[in-house]
Amino acid sequence: MCGIAGYIGEKQALPFLISGLKKLEYRGYDSAGIAIYNEGRIEVRRQVGKIAELERSIRGQVIEGTQGIAHTRWATHGMPSNRNSHPHRDSDGHIAVVHNGIIENYLELRNELEDKGYTFTSETDTEVVPNLIAEYFEGNLLEAVEKAKARLRGSYAAVCMSQQDPDYLVGIRQDSPLIVGYGKDGNYFASDIPALIGHVDRYTVLKNGETAVIDRDGVTIYVDGKAVEPEVMELTMDIDAAEKGGYDHFMLKEIIEQPRALKECLSGRIAYGKRVIDLGELKLDAAKAEKINKIVMVACGTAYHACYVGRYVYEKLLRIPVEVEIASEFRYRDPILDEHTLTIVVSQSGETADTLAALAEAKRKGSHILAITNVWESSIAREAHDVIYTRAGIEIAVASTKAYTTQILAIYLFGLYMAELKGKMIRREIQTIINELYRLPEKVQQIIDDNLDIIKEMADEIAEFEDAFFIGRDLDYVVAREGALKLKEISYIHAEAYAAGELKHGTLALIVDRVPVICLCTQRNLEEKMVSNIKEAQTRNGQIFSICFEGDTLVPAVSEHVCYLPKTLDLLAPILTVIPLQLIAYYASVKRGADVDKPRNLAKSVTVE
Ligand code: AGP
């Protein structure tokens, strides 16, 4: 996710802008920039790479001024480069803006502004913002920003300044975070609290739709043009707590961030023009898609489990065979594929050595390669023919959570894209699924809001055991595999996942003495089968923990602990079902005193074989 910093006060702005960006580095970025106003002019410096690169590029230069804005960019539209870095200015260079989020209607706005004579120098969505403000500017920056804001669709946290109407900064917020800091020597904007520590002792978090004006004398918050009284809080966090967003661990922060990550992953990808799904400029067009007669999905760990969701979904939607492969096995077994095979490689980091090598093997055999990854311009992204970015934002905890759910979302979007290209689904069917996809972020939020108590109870009980079993059927079995990995890798409980119908072929021998059996049951066509499998475990004294939809009665009747999920389409259930499993693993790990964010023996990105 991008980082924003802004300052106006008595001191020189540059030191805070640089230090503020450095405290936001943990958010992940690929370029940085500053804009400082002084005596009628805005000076802008932008540099691809780390903040140290930016500092090197301005070394020896005198960039004075007591008001400025700064930005670290996590690329979503337009590759990392100096001209795509923020701050962006309007054609005449009078308005400077930094932005975090995605302007969904940027193409429409850009065309309109180009028709009016504005020129653009970047590939970013952000660049429409300063030009739109300039279009409405008649001497008052705040008025122009409010008019421009009314035209924006999508997510944004943006801070703006003008060299024609200086001496204040304007901040606007919709979905992406923006914080206002009240300082003794001036006032501040920042994407997150770490940047403000040591500079302010009070802050307010801008709410969606609010506009903030900060100047040397104070802060004013507006709603629909009217000044309102903000909720001002004392800043008491230390830097470590602040980087975790106030949570005890990055993993919990990243689990809680999933509704926003899912919205970012969806943002701008549902078009209603010639196609319903807009995944950008994929080389896999209708002609190529027509010739695809097999899909191979390759990954490691959690990404491998996301691929398995893809297999069930693609075989249902596209009716072509889908093979799912562990990358370290795939690369050495001389796999059978050719130019009619689509190989999809999934990787959060985009740097996993085995997955990268599997990609090379598939490419060598003539397969078309699609990468689904979270890191812009990562090795896997660069080597693939096509890329879909999950836009989950940086994931720091070793245990992958928001990367997994956004990988699955990207897999759904691509499946609908292919179904449309290959004429496997009519638009109404696609629309039904998309409408429900758009409801998933709020349903994930509902699970987090409504179920923490029952989930903590489940985790506390499971944490008392050294073994645990996850069972399910169809898509539930696939998610059970991810649930077992989550619990295993951060609580060190020996957890295994089994197809529920497979229990009686061996594993049932281990279901004794109240051992936890976590049962996933969202696939309604298999519910009765699943209930009988649960009974098999229950009658052998297994302790039953079930995850099912609200309103279900059959499963709770044979369970001791139940976590209810808001209803969704069976096909889309994995994105909801995994949330309780992530939280169970998290709380069990905390209960057992394990190192949640950095579990023993594991690394976040396995860049060696
Ligand atoms: C998942 O919680 C683990 N951290 C691990 O299995 C991870 O998913 C695997 O190493 C693949 O990483 P990648 O997605 O970056 O390729």
Side-chain angles (χ1 to χ4, degrees), residues 332-363:
Y332 293 112
R333 64 174 189 76
D334 192 13
I336 299 166
L337 39 83
D338 58 22
E339 68 278 10
H340 298 303
T341 307
L342 169 64
T343 299
I344 302 175
V345 294
V346 180
S347 173
Q348 188 284 131
S349 62
E351 301 299 341
T352 298
D354 285 323
T355 309
L356 192 55
L359 184 161
E361 174 70 0
K363 201 171 179 181

PDB file of all heavy atoms in Angstrom, residues 332-363:
ATOM      1  N   TYR A 332      10.451 -31.143 -11.993  1.00  0.00           N
ATOM      2  CA  TYR A 332      11.388 -32.261 -12.231  1.00  0.00           C
ATOM      3  C   TYR A 332      10.720 -33.484 -12.861  1.00  0.00           C
ATOM      4  O   TYR A 332      11.338 -34.525 -12.982  1.00  0.00           O
ATOM      5  CB  TYR A 332      12.054 -32.689 -10.911  1.00  0.00           C
ATOM      6  CG  TYR A 332      12.977 -31.650 -10.345  1.00  0.00           C
ATOM      7  CD1 TYR A 332      12.665 -30.986  -9.154  1.00  0.00           C
ATOM      8  CD2 TYR A 332      14.136 -31.276 -11.026  1.00  0.00           C
ATOM      9  CE1 TYR A 332      13.500 -30.018  -8.647  1.00  0.00           C
ATOM     10  CE2 TYR A 332      14.982 -30.297 -10.523  1.00  0.00           C
ATOM     11  CZ  TYR A 332      14.657 -29.664  -9.331  1.00  0.00           C
ATOM     12  OH  TYR A 332      15.478 -28.673  -8.834  1.00  0.00           O
ATOM     13  N   ARG A 333       9.443 -33.358 -13.229  1.00  0.00           N
ATOM     14  CA  ARG A 333       8.838 -34.611 -13.722  1.00  0.00           C
ATOM     15  C   ARG A 333       8.478 -34.546 -15.190  1.00  0.00           C
ATOM     16  O   ARG A 333       7.629 -35.298 -15.666  1.00  0.00           O
ATOM     17  CB  ARG A 333       7.623 -34.997 -12.888  1.00  0.00           C
ATOM     18  CG  ARG A 333       6.456 -34.057 -12.929  1.00  0.00           C
ATOM     19  CD  ARG A 333       5.263 -34.660 -12.152  1.00  0.00           C
ATOM     20  NE  ARG A 333       4.080 -33.865 -12.372  1.00  0.00           N
ATOM     21  CZ  ARG A 333       3.358 -33.892 -13.490  1.00  0.00           C
ATOM     22  NH1 ARG A 333       3.705 -34.670 -14.485  1.00  0.00           N
ATOM     23  NH2 ARG A 333       2.305 -33.139 -13.622  1.00  0.00           N
ATOM     24  N   ASP A 334       9.165 -33.600 -15.917  1.00  0.00           N
ATOM     25  CA  ASP A 334       8.958 -33.498 -17.369  1.00  0.00           C
ATOM     26  C   ASP A 334       7.464 -33.477 -17.720  1.00  0.00           C
ATOM     27  O   ASP A 334       6.943 -34.360 -18.406  1.00  0.00           O
ATOM     28  CB  ASP A 334       9.632 -34.687 -18.090  1.00  0.00           C
ATOM     29  CG  ASP A 334       9.679 -34.445 -19.600  1.00  0.00           C
ATOM     30  OD1 ASP A 334       9.417 -33.292 -19.990  1.00  0.00           O
ATOM     31  OD2 ASP A 334       9.913 -35.405 -20.346  1.00  0.00           O
ATOM     32  N   PRO A 335       6.745 -32.475 -17.192  1.00  0.00           N
ATOM     33  CA  PRO A 335       5.287 -32.448 -17.333  1.00  0.00           C
ATOM     34  C   PRO A 335       4.825 -32.392 -18.786  1.00  0.00           C
ATOM     35  O   PRO A 335       5.541 -31.897 -19.652  1.00  0.00           O
ATOM     36  CB  PRO A 335       4.900 -31.173 -16.595  1.00  0.00           C
ATOM     37  CG  PRO A 335       6.114 -30.328 -16.621  1.00  0.00           C
ATOM     38  CD  PRO A 335       7.272 -31.259 -16.573  1.00  0.00           C
ATOM     39  N   ILE A 336       3.626 -32.904 -19.009  1.00  0.00           N
ATOM     40  CA  ILE A 336       3.049 -32.928 -20.360  1.00  0.00           C
ATOM     41  C   ILE A 336       2.214 -31.673 -20.569  1.00  0.00           C
ATOM     42  O   ILE A 336       1.129 -31.522 -19.987  1.00  0.00           O
ATOM     43  CB  ILE A 336       2.168 -34.189 -20.543  1.00  0.00           C
ATOM     44  CG1 ILE A 336       3.015 -35.444 -20.366  1.00  0.00           C
ATOM     45  CG2 ILE A 336       1.498 -34.170 -21.927  1.00  0.00           C
ATOM     46  CD1 ILE A 336       2.198 -36.698 -20.194  1.00  0.00           C
ATOM     47  N   LEU A 337       2.752 -30.745 -21.325  1.00  0.00           N
ATOM     48  CA  LEU A 337       2.001 -29.533 -21.674  1.00  0.00           C
ATOM     49  C   LEU A 337       2.575 -28.954 -22.955  1.00  0.00           C
ATOM     50  O   LEU A 337       3.684 -29.281 -23.360  1.00  0.00           O
ATOM     51  CB  LEU A 337       2.013 -28.516 -20.535  1.00  0.00           C
ATOM     52  CG  LEU A 337       3.270 -28.287 -19.699  1.00  0.00           C
ATOM     53  CD1 LEU A 337       4.179 -27.327 -20.421  1.00  0.00           C
ATOM     54  CD2 LEU A 337       2.889 -27.722 -18.351  1.00  0.00           C
ATOM     55  N   ASP A 338       1.764 -28.100 -23.587  1.00  0.00           N
ATOM     56  CA  ASP A 338       2.206 -27.519 -24.864  1.00  0.00           C
ATOM     57  C   ASP A 338       1.525 -26.159 -25.063  1.00  0.00           C
ATOM     58  O   ASP A 338       0.972 -25.600 -24.110  1.00  0.00           O
ATOM     59  CB  ASP A 338       1.865 -28.486 -26.016  1.00  0.00           C
ATOM     60  CG  ASP A 338       0.367 -28.773 -26.060  1.00  0.00           C
ATOM     61  OD1 ASP A 338      -0.429 -27.937 -25.525  1.00  0.00           O
ATOM     62  OD2 ASP A 338      -0.013 -29.829 -26.567  1.00  0.00           O
ATOM     63  N   GLU A 339       1.491 -25.702 -26.322  1.00  0.00           N
ATOM     64  CA  GLU A 339       0.943 -24.356 -26.569  1.00  0.00           C
ATOM     65  C   GLU A 339      -0.558 -24.288 -26.329  1.00  0.00           C
ATOM     66  O   GLU A 339      -1.133 -23.207 -26.275  1.00  0.00           O
ATOM     67  CB  GLU A 339       1.262 -23.903 -28.000  1.00  0.00           C
ATOM     68  CG  GLU A 339       0.551 -24.665 -29.108  1.00  0.00           C
ATOM     69  CD  GLU A 339       1.259 -25.968 -29.448  1.00  0.00           C
ATOM     70  OE1 GLU A 339       2.182 -26.351 -28.700  1.00  0.00           O
ATOM     71  OE2 GLU A 339       0.868 -26.605 -30.436  1.00  0.00           O
ATOM     72  N   HIS A 340      -1.210 -25.444 -26.148  1.00  0.00           N
ATOM     73  CA  HIS A 340      -2.649 -25.427 -25.851  1.00  0.00           C
ATOM     74  C   HIS A 340      -2.914 -25.499 -24.350  1.00  0.00           C
ATOM     75  O   HIS A 340      -4.052 -25.637 -23.905  1.00  0.00           O
ATOM     76  CB  HIS A 340      -3.342 -26.596 -26.560  1.00  0.00           C
ATOM     77  CG  HIS A 340      -3.225 -26.525 -28.053  1.00  0.00           C
ATOM     78  ND1 HIS A 340      -3.661 -25.440 -28.798  1.00  0.00           N
ATOM     79  CD2 HIS A 340      -2.657 -27.382 -28.939  1.00  0.00           C
ATOM     80  CE1 HIS A 340      -3.391 -25.651 -30.081  1.00  0.00           C
ATOM     81  NE2 HIS A 340      -2.787 -26.826 -30.197  1.00  0.00           N
ATOM     82  N   THR A 341      -1.818 -25.450 -23.581  1.00  0.00           N
ATOM     83  CA  THR A 341      -1.955 -25.477 -22.117  1.00  0.00           C
ATOM     84  C   THR A 341      -1.767 -24.068 -21.571  1.00  0.00           C
ATOM     85  O   THR A 341      -0.842 -23.366 -21.973  1.00  0.00           O
ATOM     86  CB  THR A 341      -0.858 -26.373 -21.499  1.00  0.00           C
ATOM     87  OG1 THR A 341      -0.879 -27.646 -22.126  1.00  0.00           O
ATOM     88  CG2 THR A 341      -1.058 -26.503 -19.991  1.00  0.00           C
ATOM     89  N   LEU A 342      -2.642 -23.681 -20.687  1.00  0.00           N
ATOM     90  CA  LEU A 342      -2.450 -22.415 -19.954  1.00  0.00           C
ATOM     91  C   LEU A 342      -1.860 -22.781 -18.589  1.00  0.00           C
ATOM     92  O   LEU A 342      -2.451 -23.585 -17.855  1.00  0.00           O
ATOM     93  CB  LEU A 342      -3.779 -21.691 -19.760  1.00  0.00           C
ATOM     94  CG  LEU A 342      -3.754 -20.501 -18.790  1.00  0.00           C
ATOM     95  CD1 LEU A 342      -2.843 -19.385 -19.308  1.00  0.00           C
ATOM     96  CD2 LEU A 342      -5.159 -19.971 -18.558  1.00  0.00           C
ATOM     97  N   THR A 343      -0.686 -22.236 -18.284  1.00  0.00           N
ATOM     98  CA  THR A 343      -0.079 -22.478 -16.968  1.00  0.00           C
ATOM     99  C   THR A 343      -0.263 -21.233 -16.101  1.00  0.00           C
ATOM    100  O   THR A 343       0.136 -20.136 -16.495  1.00  0.00           O
ATOM    101  CB  THR A 343       1.422 -22.796 -17.116  1.00  0.00           C
ATOM    102  OG1 THR A 343       1.549 -23.981 -17.918  1.00  0.00           O
ATOM    103  CG2 THR A 343       2.061 -23.049 -15.748  1.00  0.00           C
ATOM    104  N   ILE A 344      -0.895 -21.429 -14.965  1.00  0.00           N
ATOM    105  CA  ILE A 344      -1.120 -20.315 -14.035  1.00  0.00           C
ATOM    106  C   ILE A 344      -0.206 -20.519 -12.831  1.00  0.00           C
ATOM    107  O   ILE A 344      -0.283 -21.548 -12.159  1.00  0.00           O
ATOM    108  CB  ILE A 344      -2.584 -20.257 -13.567  1.00  0.00           C
ATOM    109  CG1 ILE A 344      -3.524 -20.125 -14.783  1.00  0.00           C
ATOM    110  CG2 ILE A 344      -2.804 -19.081 -12.609  1.00  0.00           C
ATOM    111  CD1 ILE A 344      -5.010 -20.169 -14.426  1.00  0.00           C
ATOM    112  N   VAL A 345       0.715 -19.573 -12.616  1.00  0.00           N
ATOM    113  CA  VAL A 345       1.584 -19.661 -11.443  1.00  0.00           C
ATOM    114  C   VAL A 345       1.127 -18.626 -10.422  1.00  0.00           C
ATOM    115  O   VAL A 345       0.844 -17.479 -10.775  1.00  0.00           O
ATOM    116  CB  VAL A 345       3.072 -19.445 -11.804  1.00  0.00           C
ATOM    117  CG1 VAL A 345       3.585 -20.568 -12.667  1.00  0.00           C
ATOM    118  CG2 VAL A 345       3.296 -18.108 -12.489  1.00  0.00           C
ATOM    119  N   VAL A 346       0.982 -19.067  -9.181  1.00  0.00           N
ATOM    120  CA  VAL A 346       0.474 -18.184  -8.123  1.00  0.00           C
ATOM    121  C   VAL A 346       1.548 -18.027  -7.060  1.00  0.00           C
ATOM    122  O   VAL A 346       2.153 -19.016  -6.618  1.00  0.00           O
ATOM    123  CB  VAL A 346      -0.812 -18.767  -7.505  1.00  0.00           C
ATOM    124  CG1 VAL A 346      -1.345 -17.864  -6.404  1.00  0.00           C
ATOM    125  CG2 VAL A 346      -1.882 -18.969  -8.583  1.00  0.00           C
ATOM    126  N   SER A 347       1.817 -16.794  -6.689  1.00  0.00           N
ATOM    127  CA  SER A 347       2.875 -16.543  -5.704  1.00  0.00           C
ATOM    128  C   SER A 347       2.706 -15.169  -5.069  1.00  0.00           C
ATOM    129  O   SER A 347       2.715 -14.170  -5.785  1.00  0.00           O
ATOM    130  CB  SER A 347       4.254 -16.611  -6.376  1.00  0.00           C
ATOM    131  OG  SER A 347       5.262 -16.223  -5.471  1.00  0.00           O
ATOM    132  N   GLN A 348       2.550 -15.102  -3.782  1.00  0.00           N
ATOM    133  CA  GLN A 348       2.438 -13.819  -3.078  1.00  0.00           C
ATOM    134  C   GLN A 348       3.672 -12.979  -3.332  1.00  0.00           C
ATOM    135  O   GLN A 348       3.552 -11.868  -3.827  1.00  0.00           O
ATOM    136  CB  GLN A 348       2.265 -14.041  -1.569  1.00  0.00           C
ATOM    137  CG  GLN A 348       1.952 -12.821  -0.748  1.00  0.00           C
ATOM    138  CD  GLN A 348       3.155 -11.898  -0.497  1.00  0.00           C
ATOM    139  OE1 GLN A 348       3.048 -10.693  -0.698  1.00  0.00           O
ATOM    140  NE2 GLN A 348       4.300 -12.429  -0.111  1.00  0.00           N
ATOM    141  N   SER A 349       4.832 -13.526  -3.092  1.00  0.00           N
ATOM    142  CA  SER A 349       6.082 -12.763  -3.182  1.00  0.00           C
ATOM    143  C   SER A 349       6.536 -12.557  -4.628  1.00  0.00           C
ATOM    144  O   SER A 349       7.256 -11.645  -4.967  1.00  0.00           O
ATOM    145  CB  SER A 349       7.193 -13.501  -2.433  1.00  0.00           C
ATOM    146  OG  SER A 349       7.393 -14.774  -3.057  1.00  0.00           O
ATOM    147  N   GLY A 350       6.152 -13.533  -5.488  1.00  0.00           N
ATOM    148  CA  GLY A 350       6.641 -13.481  -6.868  1.00  0.00           C
ATOM    149  C   GLY A 350       8.118 -13.840  -6.969  1.00  0.00           C
ATOM    150  O   GLY A 350       8.737 -13.627  -7.996  1.00  0.00           O
ATOM    151  N   GLU A 351       8.670 -14.402  -5.882  1.00  0.00           N
ATOM    152  CA  GLU A 351      10.121 -14.718  -5.866  1.00  0.00           C
ATOM    153  C   GLU A 351      10.405 -16.162  -5.443  1.00  0.00           C
ATOM    154  O   GLU A 351      11.555 -16.549  -5.357  1.00  0.00           O
ATOM    155  CB  GLU A 351      10.844 -13.783  -4.904  1.00  0.00           C
ATOM    156  CG  GLU A 351      10.716 -12.285  -5.229  1.00  0.00           C
ATOM    157  CD  GLU A 351      11.289 -11.917  -6.605  1.00  0.00           C
ATOM    158  OE1 GLU A 351      12.096 -12.711  -7.154  1.00  0.00           O
ATOM    159  OE2 GLU A 351      10.898 -10.877  -7.156  1.00  0.00           O
ATOM    160  N   THR A 352       9.379 -16.976  -5.186  1.00  0.00           N
ATOM    161  CA  THR A 352       9.607 -18.353  -4.717  1.00  0.00           C
ATOM    162  C   THR A 352      10.368 -19.139  -5.769  1.00  0.00           C
ATOM    163  O   THR A 352       9.910 -19.262  -6.918  1.00  0.00           O
ATOM    164  CB  THR A 352       8.270 -19.018  -4.383  1.00  0.00           C
ATOM    165  OG1 THR A 352       7.662 -18.268  -3.331  1.00  0.00           O
ATOM    166  CG2 THR A 352       8.448 -20.464  -3.947  1.00  0.00           C
ATOM    167  N   ALA A 353      11.522 -19.660  -5.380  1.00  0.00           N
ATOM    168  CA  ALA A 353      12.439 -20.272  -6.352  1.00  0.00           C
ATOM    169  C   ALA A 353      11.780 -21.425  -7.107  1.00  0.00           C
ATOM    170  O   ALA A 353      11.856 -21.503  -8.345  1.00  0.00           O
ATOM    171  CB  ALA A 353      13.687 -20.756  -5.622  1.00  0.00           C
ATOM    172  N   ASP A 354      11.100 -22.313  -6.388  1.00  0.00           N
ATOM    173  CA  ASP A 354      10.499 -23.475  -7.059  1.00  0.00           C
ATOM    174  C   ASP A 354       9.407 -23.052  -8.045  1.00  0.00           C
ATOM    175  O   ASP A 354       9.282 -23.608  -9.145  1.00  0.00           O
ATOM    176  CB  ASP A 354       9.913 -24.431  -6.018  1.00  0.00           C
ATOM    177  CG  ASP A 354      10.997 -25.215  -5.284  1.00  0.00           C
ATOM    178  OD1 ASP A 354      11.996 -25.586  -5.942  1.00  0.00           O
ATOM    179  OD2 ASP A 354      10.858 -25.420  -4.065  1.00  0.00           O
ATOM    180  N   THR A 355       8.636 -22.054  -7.669  1.00  0.00           N
ATOM    181  CA  THR A 355       7.556 -21.596  -8.552  1.00  0.00           C
ATOM    182  C   THR A 355       8.135 -20.910  -9.789  1.00  0.00           C
ATOM    183  O   THR A 355       7.671 -21.105 -10.910  1.00  0.00           O
ATOM    184  CB  THR A 355       6.622 -20.640  -7.782  1.00  0.00           C
ATOM    185  OG1 THR A 355       6.233 -21.257  -6.552  1.00  0.00           O
ATOM    186  CG2 THR A 355       5.377 -20.295  -8.592  1.00  0.00           C
ATOM    187  N   LEU A 356       9.202 -20.142  -9.566  1.00  0.00           N
ATOM    188  CA  LEU A 356       9.873 -19.468 -10.686  1.00  0.00           C
ATOM    189  C   LEU A 356      10.455 -20.498 -11.659  1.00  0.00           C
ATOM    190  O   LEU A 356      10.323 -20.391 -12.881  1.00  0.00           O
ATOM    191  CB  LEU A 356      10.977 -18.555 -10.134  1.00  0.00           C
ATOM    192  CG  LEU A 356      11.624 -17.539 -11.075  1.00  0.00           C
ATOM    193  CD1 LEU A 356      10.596 -16.627 -11.726  1.00  0.00           C
ATOM    194  CD2 LEU A 356      12.667 -16.702 -10.322  1.00  0.00           C
ATOM    195  N   ALA A 357      11.025 -21.547 -11.114  1.00  0.00           N
ATOM    196  CA  ALA A 357      11.621 -22.590 -11.974  1.00  0.00           C
ATOM    197  C   ALA A 357      10.530 -23.367 -12.710  1.00  0.00           C
ATOM    198  O   ALA A 357      10.684 -23.731 -13.880  1.00  0.00           O
ATOM    199  CB  ALA A 357      12.458 -23.535 -11.117  1.00  0.00           C
ATOM    200  N   ALA A 358       9.407 -23.575 -12.045  1.00  0.00           N
ATOM    201  CA  ALA A 358       8.279 -24.261 -12.699  1.00  0.00           C
ATOM    202  C   ALA A 358       7.755 -23.420 -13.852  1.00  0.00           C
ATOM    203  O   ALA A 358       7.440 -23.930 -14.935  1.00  0.00           O
ATOM    204  CB  ALA A 358       7.174 -24.517 -11.680  1.00  0.00           C
ATOM    205  N   LEU A 359       7.722 -22.107 -13.637  1.00  0.00           N
ATOM    206  CA  LEU A 359       7.286 -21.190 -14.699  1.00  0.00           C
ATOM    207  C   LEU A 359       8.211 -21.352 -15.903  1.00  0.00           C
ATOM    208  O   LEU A 359       7.757 -21.507 -17.050  1.00  0.00           O
ATOM    209  CB  LEU A 359       7.337 -19.752 -14.173  1.00  0.00           C
ATOM    210  CG  LEU A 359       6.855 -18.621 -15.060  1.00  0.00           C
ATOM    211  CD1 LEU A 359       6.549 -17.374 -14.227  1.00  0.00           C
ATOM    212  CD2 LEU A 359       7.817 -18.231 -16.166  1.00  0.00           C
ATOM    213  N   ALA A 360       9.506 -21.373 -15.651  1.00  0.00           N
ATOM    214  CA  ALA A 360      10.480 -21.477 -16.758  1.00  0.00           C
ATOM    215  C   ALA A 360      10.301 -22.784 -17.523  1.00  0.00           C
ATOM    216  O   ALA A 360      10.351 -22.821 -18.757  1.00  0.00           O
ATOM    217  CB  ALA A 360      11.887 -21.368 -16.193  1.00  0.00           C
ATOM    218  N   GLU A 361      10.031 -23.854 -16.803  1.00  0.00           N
ATOM    219  CA  GLU A 361       9.839 -25.174 -17.433  1.00  0.00           C
ATOM    220  C   GLU A 361       8.598 -25.163 -18.317  1.00  0.00           C
ATOM    221  O   GLU A 361       8.598 -25.609 -19.460  1.00  0.00           O
ATOM    222  CB  GLU A 361       9.707 -26.237 -16.334  1.00  0.00           C
ATOM    223  CG  GLU A 361       9.353 -27.633 -16.804  1.00  0.00           C
ATOM    224  CD  GLU A 361      10.486 -28.319 -17.575  1.00  0.00           C
ATOM    225  OE1 GLU A 361      11.549 -27.701 -17.736  1.00  0.00           O
ATOM    226  OE2 GLU A 361      10.283 -29.456 -18.060  1.00  0.00           O
ATOM    227  N   ALA A 362       7.518 -24.582 -17.808  1.00  0.00           N
ATOM    228  CA  ALA A 362       6.275 -24.523 -18.594  1.00  0.00           C
ATOM    229  C   ALA A 362       6.459 -23.637 -19.817  1.00  0.00           C
ATOM    230  O   ALA A 362       6.006 -23.945 -20.918  1.00  0.00           O
ATOM    231  CB  ALA A 362       5.145 -24.006 -17.716  1.00  0.00           C
ATOM    232  N   LYS A 363       7.175 -22.531 -19.628  1.00  0.00           N
ATOM    233  CA  LYS A 363       7.413 -21.596 -20.743  1.00  0.00           C
ATOM    234  C   LYS A 363       8.238 -22.275 -21.827  1.00  0.00           C
ATOM    235  O   LYS A 363       7.970 -22.153 -23.019  1.00  0.00           O
ATOM    236  CB  LYS A 363       8.144 -20.369 -20.193  1.00  0.00           C
ATOM    237  CG  LYS A 363       8.057 -19.113 -21.005  1.00  0.00           C
ATOM    238  CD  LYS A 363       8.657 -17.959 -20.167  1.00  0.00           C
ATOM    239  CE  LYS A 363       8.660 -16.644 -20.887  1.00  0.00           C
ATOM    240  NZ  LYS A 363       9.261 -15.557 -20.052  1.00  0.00           N
TER     241      LYS A 363
END
